[in-house]
Amino acid sequence: MSDSLVFFLIQVLNGVQYGLLLFLVASGLTLVFGIMGVINLAHGSFYMLGAYLAYALTQLTGNLFFAVLLAVPLAIVFGLALEALLFRPLYARDHLYQVLLTYGLILALEETRSLVFGDDVHGVALPRWLDFSIHLTGALSYPAYRLFMSAMCLVIAGGLWLLIQKTRLGMAIRAGASNREMVQSLGIDIAWVYRAVFALGVALAAFAGMIAAPVASVFPGMGNQILIISFVVVVIGGIGSIKGAFLGSLLIGLADTFGQVFAPQLAGMTVYVLMAAVLVWRPAGLFGGNAR
Amino acid sequence: MTIETKNAGRRRVLKGLAAGAGAAAAASFLPARFAIGQQARLRLGLMLPYTGTYAALGKNIDDALRLAINEKGGKLGGRAIDYITLDDESDPSKGADNANKLVTGSKVDFMIGTVHSGVVMAMVKVARDTDTMLIIPNGGVGAATGALCAPNIFRTSFSNWQPAYAMGKVAVAEGRKTAVVISWDYAAGKESTDAFSQGFAEGGGQTVKQLFLPFPNVEFQPLLTEIAATKPDVVYAFFAGAGAVKFVKDYAGAGLGSSIPLVGPGFLTDGTLEAQGDAAQGLETTLHYADGLKFPKDIGFREAFKRAAGRDADVYAVQGYDTGTLLISGLTAVKGDVKARKALVGAMEKTVFNSPRGKFTLSKAHNPVQDIYLRKAQGLQNLFVRVAVKDLADPATGCSMA
């Protein structure tokens, strides 16, 4: 194989790998947005929460895997508590109230983070057996952990697909995304669906933060970076569509990667240009069947 | 707009009167202000990041500045001090508003600030518009002591050009011929990478590729692949804080660490070594300060700072401390009379003192002329290796005072 082809393929790998991580965050966002109709600006903060949980628990247990095993249930409990205490009273209200609430949550979580962990950047140690690189070509190696990360993302994506397509809850979720009133009138307890979806969304974002922590390190404001790009993914994919989020994430990952390589001057714009193009072509996003 | 212009005009007239009268009368008369009775308190406006990513830096600057003044009795030129602190939030869009708040609202005699170069630019603008004294304790943006230099604007830290140019010299002296530079696509990154390329080119090296990514993006993988494809002799990276941590780790993770040396200005490894872990060990960087300098002044300062603040000193603390010392020399010379502007500026310009970083003097453009040190990351320290360039002055491009 020629050298340039090899590097092209490596860049494709880079793009896919970035896209898969985005998918974990965006899938939760699109579910909460599409099914509950809640614009959750604090979704990025759950990503940050996951990363800091991974940092704290790795220090405590000495191993990232134990940390993740402990942190995922914590994130689910946190999600259920938030839903019950803060979000439930606002379902009947206007979007503006939700935006105010979730923006307030960003500030509250950021400040709590500052009080508990301070404002320094922290690293999270890789598990020993994944702390190596695979030699690809010339001077370039690929960290094994990144491949492992992508594999985990694929496993989660597969699990989500099974959940949505093959289970009773999934059926309710799909139905809820297309017509909430009809679901209710068919006697399905939508409140329960909401609870499950919200907790799942929090857990997905937090899990993304946890597995990204060793490569991204944990730092103040890390949630806001990923939030904006996740909204782009959700809009491209179509609100409420997991399939759309998956495809949108990969598109964004590849566009961002190749934007940086081929048009470095425009790198900041490529993903937004892509979004604009998709919206012109399909105003509701790739899989946004019914624009509400 | 009109009102401001009028005010500025009146201020110029007053200033002229004050300068004229001050020079003649300083010896025999007390300045008018003092005649009211009590000697007025000197108002220092500290506009620093007290929250957010740069909070730790702002805190160190603040604590060290007070330490310097308290070591000399807590007064400046015999006047007691009111410290007015304002959180700049490292937000350039709020910079001008905040600086104006200090100048017109709090009526400060000196503005001190800040860390973020974008906010520094806003402060420079306000300082020029209102003719307020400004001392910059960190932000290295070239224009502040370049095209926008002014008699009332001083900097006690560095310009982006200084450590970068020195690293260019070091890299070429180590026999590197080709370089790739990488940074965020913003002013400081461009200034730094250009200065590196300048120093590198002067020794016969060539920058073969410039890589930029949008601020504050930290998805470096595609650009690391580009670096591997280009195979330069050396990579110069300008990143700070969380970006520096991630870049250094990703660079090592991509296996480039063993084949292509990574260098940068000190910010690449300052305050980040714990988070960077093994990936940063042995990295060479250039800065105007280092661990293990062994100057008696530095050792004494580090002990005093630890006692006063309860934390270890770093380069930001040194810059804050030197800001305090610069204030002391200026105001002692005019006995606290800030209205004697010419004499005050003159005394500050000519000041020479022992800083923890070494000898401190200023260029005509009011930026430090200083030794830039080559340092090597070892454990949690950036240890002094040697002087990379001695008495390096910023070229102060576009400055009419220089």
Side-chain angles (χ1 to χ4, degrees):
Chain A
M1 262 196 298
S2 79
D3 242 23
S4 53
L5 182 63
V6 172
F7 280 112
F8 176 80
L9 290 177
I10 294 171
Q11 294 292 20
V12 171
L13 177 65
N14 289 333
V16 168
Q17 184 240 317
Y18 177 45
L20 284 172
L21 183 66
L22 273 184
F23 169 72
L24 283 195
V25 183
S27 57
L29 189 64
T30 202
L31 278 177
V32 170
F33 198 174
I35 289 144
M36 303 167 62
V38 170
I39 299 176
N40 185 10
L41 295 180
H43 199 70
S45 302
F46 303 147
Y47 173 81
M48 175 185 80
L49 180 82
Y52 274 89
L53 273 178
Y55 164 67
L57 293 173
T58 306
Q59 296 237 304
L60 205 69
T61 62
N63 186 313
L64 182 67
F65 285 101
F66 294 142
V68 171
L69 283 182
L70 280 172
V72 170
L74 281 177
I76 292 176
V77 170
F78 181 71
L80 288 173
L82 267 189
E83 199 269 348
L85 294 175
L86 297 176
F87 282 82
R88 206 173 295 167
L90 293 186
Y91 287 148
R93 301 277 189 101
D94 192 59
H95 277 320
L96 185 62
Y97 291 91
Q98 298 160 0
V99 169
L100 280 175
L101 169 70
T102 52
Y103 183 66
L105 267 179
I106 294 184
L107 300 180
L109 288 172
E110 230 4 90
E111 207 50 44
T112 312
R113 190 254 329 127
S114 175
L115 289 174
V116 177
F117 295 101
D119 293 314
D120 288 334
V121 185
H122 296 288
V124 175
L126 282 175
R128 281 260 164 261
W129 60 276
L130 274 172
D131 195 1
F132 67 99
S133 291
I134 296 159
H135 184 254
L136 290 182
T137 173
L140 191 67
S141 305
Y142 218 78
Y145 184 78
R146 280 180 178 270
L147 298 176
F148 171 78
M149 220 165 91
S150 299
M152 288 304 288
C153 292
L154 281 174
V155 168
I156 299 281
L160 267 182
W161 182 82
L162 280 179
L163 178 77
I164 304 268
Q165 299 296 332
K166 304 286 172 191
T167 67
R168 210 178 157 69
L169 174 64
M171 212 191 317
I173 290 176
R174 273 181 294 146
S178 49
N179 194 329
R180 203 185 321 182
E181 288 75 19
M182 187 60 82
V183 174
Q184 266 170 310
S185 37
L186 286 175
I188 289 170
D189 183 4
I190 199 85
W192 186 77
V193 176
Y194 278 14
R195 240 166 283 159
V197 164
F198 193 81
L200 179 66
V202 174
L204 281 171
F207 181 73
M210 290 170 212
I211 62 167
V215 289
S217 63
V218 301
F219 55 93
M222 64 186 297
N224 304 341
Q225 278 180 21
I226 200 131
L227 175 73
I228 295 166
I229 201 78
S230 298
F231 265 112
V232 174
V233 168
V234 169
V235 169
I236 288 185
I239 293 162
S241 164
I242 291 280
K243 213 178 350 170
F246 188 74
L247 210 70
S249 302
L250 290 182
L251 270 178
I252 291 289
L254 289 169
D256 192 59
T257 299
F258 283 100
Q260 280 186 31
V261 176
F262 292 122
Q265 289 80 13
L266 306 175
M269 288 164 49
T270 37
V271 295
Y272 302 103
V273 171
L274 179 70
M275 177 171 79
V278 169
L279 288 185
V280 167
W281 175 45
R282 296 188 73 125
L286 293 176
F287 293 94
N290 61 328
R292 270 189 287 138
Chain B
M1 221 39 209
T2 355
I3 296 166
E4 270 185 47
T5 326
K6 262 190 206 145
N7 266 342
R10 190 159 36 192
R11 213 171 277 121
R12 256 196 297 279
V13 174
L14 284 175
K15 192 188 73 178
L17 284 175
S28 45
F29 297 104
L30 287 172
R33 239 165 346 94
F34 295 169
I36 300 166
Q38 238 77 43
Q39 195 170 309
R41 295 168 76 87
L42 188 80
R43 297 172 70 76
L44 288 188
L46 305 183
M47 186 169 148
L48 292 166
Y50 291 102
T51 60
T53 317
Y54 290 142
L57 285 58
K59 201 87 193 55
N60 275 2
I61 291 170
D62 181 315
D63 284 344
L65 179 137
R66 291 180 203 237
L67 172 67
I69 294 172
N70 290 338
E71 280 177 348
K72 295 282 186 270
K75 290 186 172 189
L76 283 172
R79 294 172 68 183
I81 302 164
D82 280 334
Y83 291 98
I84 296 113
T85 58
L86 183 69
D87 184 8
D88 72 21
E89 299 169 56
S90 296
D91 184 347
S93 67
K94 295 181 188 158
D97 273 355
N98 280 333
N100 273 318
K101 226 183 278 175
L102 278 183
V103 173
T104 50
S106 307
K107 308 227 176 312
V108 297
D109 296 302
F110 276 87
M111 275 198 288
I112 318 278
T114 186
V115 171
H116 188 293
S117 276
V119 187
V120 166
M121 287 304 282
M123 295 181 78
V124 164
K125 184 171 184 314
V126 171
R128 288 171 63 97
D129 288 351
T130 62
D131 198 25
T132 308
M133 293 294 293
L134 167 66
I135 305 181
I136 304 163
N138 186 66
V141 54
T145 57
L148 295 177
C149 73
N152 55 318
I153 297 172
F154 288 82
R155 176 152 55 196
T156 54
S157 49
F158 63 93
S159 72
N160 287 328
W161 184 90
Q162 286 176 311
Y165 175 82
M167 186 43 96
K169 291 279 188 200
V170 168
V172 88
E174 285 174 357
R176 321 277 175 214
K177 297 272 185 288
T178 56
V180 166
V181 298
I182 178 167
S183 173
W184 280 310
D185 190 2
Y186 69 156
K190 288 235 161 75
E191 282 180 5
S192 181
T193 51
D194 284 352
F196 170 84
S197 295
Q198 185 193 341
F200 196 55
E202 281 176 15
Q206 196 199 352
T207 300
V208 289
K209 196 168 250 175
Q210 296 177 297
L211 299 172
F212 292 106
L213 73 166
F215 180 81
N217 197 334
V218 288
E219 187 51 39
F220 298 119
Q221 214 58 35
L223 298 180
L224 292 174
T225 308
E226 277 293 288
I227 290 172
T230 310
K231 296 195 196 83
D233 294 339
V234 61
V235 172
Y236 176 85
F238 178 89
F239 293 106
V245 171
K246 187 160 191 304
F247 184 80
V248 167
K249 287 176 93 172
D250 285 0
Y251 194 86
L256 293 169
S258 52
S259 51
I260 308 169
L262 172 66
V263 299
F267 319 107
L268 196 61
T269 54
D270 244 85
T272 53
L273 283 171
E274 192 206 333
Q276 284 163 334
D278 289 341
Q281 293 306 304
L283 284 194
E284 289 191 339
T285 56
T286 43
L287 201 67
H288 51 286
Y289 189 59
D291 292 311
L293 279 177
K294 299 209 176 85
F295 298 132
K297 180 77 199 175
D298 187 41
I299 295 164
F301 165 70
R302 285 181 175 234
E303 280 167 7
F305 186 82
K306 180 99 191 184
R307 261 200 312 279
R311 298 183 302 275
D312 285 321
D314 57 8
V315 63
Y316 306 104
V318 171
Q319 291 165 179
Y321 190 76
D322 290 349
T323 304
T325 312
L326 181 63
L327 281 168
I328 293 167
S329 357
L331 286 159
T332 307
V334 295
K335 301 199 171 56
D337 183 8
V338 287
K339 294 284 190 295
R341 176 65 69 84
K342 257 213 159 87
L344 174 65
V345 168
M348 286 169 71
E349 272 174 349
K350 283 195 228 23
T351 191
V352 179
F353 60 84
N354 250 333
S355 156
R357 72 182 97 166
K359 194 178 80 173
F360 185 98
T361 58
L362 288 169
S363 68
K364 286 210 175 68
H366 297 177
N367 190 63
V369 178
Q370 52 196 343
D371 292 352
I372 301 294
Y373 306 114
L374 179 66
R375 311 113 39 95
K376 196 176 197 127
Q378 210 174 325
L380 292 181
Q381 292 198 307
N382 289 294
L383 284 176
F384 170 77
V385 177
R386 63 184 163 85
V387 175
V389 180
K390 215 172 158 42
D391 291 332
L392 186 63
D394 182 84
T397 314
C399 175
S400 50
M401 302 192 306

